[in-house]
Amino acid sequence: MSYGITGSTNLQNLGGPLPLKGTFDAVADLAAGKYVGDLKLDPTKGSFKVFGFLPSDADVKLVAVGQPSGTVATGKITFNGKVNVILSKLTLFGLPISQGDACQTTAPADMKLASTGNFDVLKGGKITGTYGLAGVKDCGFLSPIISALVQSSKNTIDLSLVAKV
């Protein structure tokens, strides 16, 4: 099955949402109640208030590490996957402070999500969860500060999957 993805993630320490869009192509073994798939999330942008008041923007890429997998049963699914988070452009007060794909998390984010409500494999549904983010590296002279701001344990994610016909 192929699904279109829309949704958002809220980054705990940055106090702001990051819109998400992409695709998930799954191969399921319904008899065994398991699936594996390929996750592709589009590059995205977010605006945040650093320390609650400093305007900052980030261009972000979430890149799947390996193939996500999970369980599937009547009306529900689970999702287990890992993503590297790349901060391809960071600005503070509109001024670039880091650019390029070197600035990224020091370890992949481990996402464990579950469906909410009734999930229909043939139509789709909603999945949600929380995940942690490691610090970042290679973000220029402000790496230690950026890392402290990004590192968090209670980021939320809410996604809608819609089956492609």
Side-chain angles (χ1 to χ4, degrees):
M1 286 295 301
S2 292
Y3 300 92
I5 297 172
T6 57
S8 66
T9 182
N10 193 56
L11 304 177
Q12 174 189 7
N13 288 349
L14 296 174
L18 190 63
L20 298 174
K21 190 174 181 180
T23 60
F24 185 66
D25 297 316
V27 176
D29 179 347
L30 296 178
K34 297 180 182 179
Y35 71 87
V36 296
D38 292 312
L39 175 66
K40 292 184 176 108
L41 294 170
D42 299 341
T44 187
K45 295 180 180 198
S47 295
F48 308 100
K49 297 287 187 194
V50 178
F51 303 119
F53 66 95
L54 298 174
S56 176
D57 294 306
D59 290 1
V60 182
K61 297 177 185 174
L62 289 92
V63 180
V65 176
Q67 284 191 302
S69 62
T71 60
V72 57
T74 302
K76 61 183 177 179
I77 66 166
T78 63
F79 174 95
N80 301 304
K82 294 181 184 289
V83 296
N84 281 326
V85 179
I86 300 167
L87 305 175
S88 55
K89 183 177 181 183
L90 295 173
T91 64
L92 188 61
F93 296 114
L95 302 170
I97 58 173
S98 177
Q99 292 188 42
D101 288 349
C103 179
Q104 61 183 288
T105 50
T106 58
D110 189 11
M111 295 187 173
K112 296 188 183 302
L113 312 177
S115 55
T116 59
N118 187 37
F119 191 93
D120 184 333
V121 175
L122 299 176
K123 294 179 182 175
K126 294 187 178 289
I127 60 173
T128 64
T130 59
Y131 64 96
L133 282 175
V136 294
K137 62 180 179 175
D138 300 326
C139 301
F141 71 97
L142 292 176
S143 280
I145 295 169
I146 296 167
S147 187
L149 291 169
V150 168
Q151 190 171 7
S152 52
S153 61
K154 294 181 182 170
N155 304 294
T156 59
I157 186 166
D158 295 292
L159 301 175
S160 293
L161 280 67
V162 177
K164 294 181 178 181
V165 180

